[in-house]
Amino acid sequence: MRKTTLPLEQMIEASGEAAEFIRLFSTSSRLMLLCFLSGREVSVGEIQEGLGFKQPGLSQQLAELRQAGVVQTRRESRQIYYSIADARVARILDVLVSMFCKGEEPPPAHASIEGSSSCAPTLGEMAQWAVITSDTGLK
């Protein structure tokens, strides 16, 4: 059984920020956009062409991500380029790719992080904190 070492007050204080951060990944279109930007700088035109997004929806999603501080822009002449600005986003995307895109089986619900060979090295501190195993009795 994994024991939480953070004080309850600290977890409560961080939970609002964590929930808002996780909300950025909550729609498939925004998640695909973040994955498309992962590890590179991409122009708006490349995003539209690669993902097939229409301009109004793409602009809205990019504005929300920019306002949250998770993407940054660079202007070159008339072209605007986007890239990931928050290292936490890259860490979360790595975890999501390892869980959903590489065909790996998820560990059983009762497995601890330490006992999981496929995910343990890629989980960040916040992701480790957020894992709740069935041993905790929470449902």
Side-chain angles (χ1 to χ4, degrees):
M1 182 164 121
R2 186 172 202 283
K3 299 202 189 272
T4 303
T5 58
L6 294 174
L8 181 59
E9 298 79 26
Q10 187 178 355
M11 288 191 294
I12 291 170
E13 190 175 305
S15 66
E17 181 183 355
E20 185 61 27
F21 181 74
I22 291 169
R23 188 190 64 75
L24 296 172
F25 300 89
S26 66
T27 66
S28 60
S29 60
R30 204 164 31 238
L31 183 58
M32 280 305 306
L33 180 55
L34 289 168
C35 286
F36 195 74
L37 294 174
S38 184
R40 61 189 174 146
E41 185 179 67
V42 184
S43 72
V44 173
E46 290 171 313
I47 297 169
Q48 282 182 290
E49 185 178 315
L51 296 178
F53 289 179
K54 303 249 188 260
Q55 180 60 40
L58 177 59
S59 293
Q60 180 182 0
Q61 297 293 349
L62 288 170
E64 184 168 351
L65 293 171
R66 194 173 54 245
Q67 185 176 17
V70 297
V71 298
Q72 60 192 3
T73 61
R74 180 181 66 84
R75 181 179 286 275
E76 186 176 297
S77 185
R78 302 181 104 190
Q79 196 69 264
I80 298 176
Y81 293 88
Y82 283 84
S83 61
I84 301 292
D86 188 329
R88 298 174 304 171
V89 171
R91 291 168 69 182
I92 296 294
L93 290 174
D94 286 346
V95 171
L96 292 173
V97 166
S98 74
M99 290 173 68
F100 295 100
C101 301
K102 291 186 177 179
E104 294 180 8
E105 288 295 316
H110 65 278
S112 68
I113 291 174
E114 292 82 11
S116 172
S117 61
S118 65
C119 293
T122 59
L123 287 174
E125 292 140 8
M126 189 57 140
Q128 289 179 6
W129 170 79
V131 171
I132 298 175
T133 64
S134 61
D135 294 338
T136 62
L138 298 176
K139 301 220 188 252

